[in-house]
């Protein structure tokens, strides 16, 4: 049987619990992101939505189909820019999608408040 370290929890003595304001801020951020995701999903997948329009324009001619590799390259470059090469370090640009989705969530909340629907 392994010997227990009597001071194994001593290293955690300086850890403070989250404050109520930080929990509230995190909940608001999460809510805005969820509203943004729901709003974008409704725009993308409704009948005659963005996805069907984009696919019809993309596949209507051979020259527009040449945009598919360009789109893939742009998404790959965006992924390289946002993600860090090392899993232990965090880049500030990795928070960009969260803030963009929060802004989209604010837009859809405003749209819901003013028009009554998404």
């Amino acid at each position: 049987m392994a010997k227990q370290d009597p001071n194994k929890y001593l290293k955690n003595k300086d850890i403070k619990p989250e404050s109520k304001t930080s929990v509230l801020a995190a909940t608001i951020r999460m809510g805005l992101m969820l509203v943004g995701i729901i709003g974008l999903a409704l725009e993308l997948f409704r009948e005659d939505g963005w996805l069907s329009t984009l696919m019809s324009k993309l596949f209507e001619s051979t020259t527009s189909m040449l945009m598919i590799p360009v789109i893939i390259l742009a998404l790959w470059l965006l992924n390289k820019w946002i993600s860090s090469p090392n899993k232990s370090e965090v880049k500030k640009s990795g928070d960009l999608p969260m803030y963009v989705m929060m802004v989209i969530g604010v837009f859809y909340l405003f749209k819901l408040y003013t028009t009554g629907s998404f």
Side-chain angles (χ1 to χ4, degrees), residues 2-118:
K3 188 171 181 175
Q4 291 284 336
D5 181 18
N7 297 322
K8 73 177 186 176
Y9 297 114
L10 193 60
K11 62 185 173 200
N12 296 334
K13 70 177 181 174
D14 296 331
I15 297 176
K16 303 285 185 226
E18 300 251 345
S19 67
K20 291 183 181 181
T21 55
S22 67
V23 170
L24 180 65
T27 305
I28 290 171
R29 283 194 301 264
M30 186 66 176
L32 287 175
M33 287 186 349
L34 285 175
V35 169
I37 290 170
I38 291 169
L40 284 180
L42 288 173
E43 293 287 340
L44 279 172
F45 299 117
R46 70 178 179 192
E47 194 170 329
D48 295 329
W50 293 345
L51 189 62
S52 62
T53 305
L54 177 72
M55 288 299 173
S56 65
K57 288 187 185 288
L58 195 60
F59 291 111
E60 72 184 8
S61 70
T62 309
T63 55
S64 63
M65 284 181 66
L66 291 174
M67 288 301 292
I68 294 173
V70 174
I71 293 169
I72 292 172
L73 177 67
L75 289 174
W76 181 76
L77 288 173
L78 180 68
N79 183 31
K80 284 292 183 188
W81 178 59
I82 289 175
S83 59
S84 63
N86 190 354
K87 294 293 181 197
S88 63
E89 67 184 51
V90 177
K91 291 175 80 171
K92 278 306 229 186
S93 60
D95 291 340
L96 184 66
M98 178 185 70
Y99 293 125
V100 168
M101 196 56 66
M102 285 171 57
V103 169
I104 293 170
V106 168
F107 168 74
Y108 280 112
L109 274 179
F110 178 74
K111 189 174 177 183
L112 181 66
Y113 180 73
T114 56
T115 63
S117 68
F118 280 113

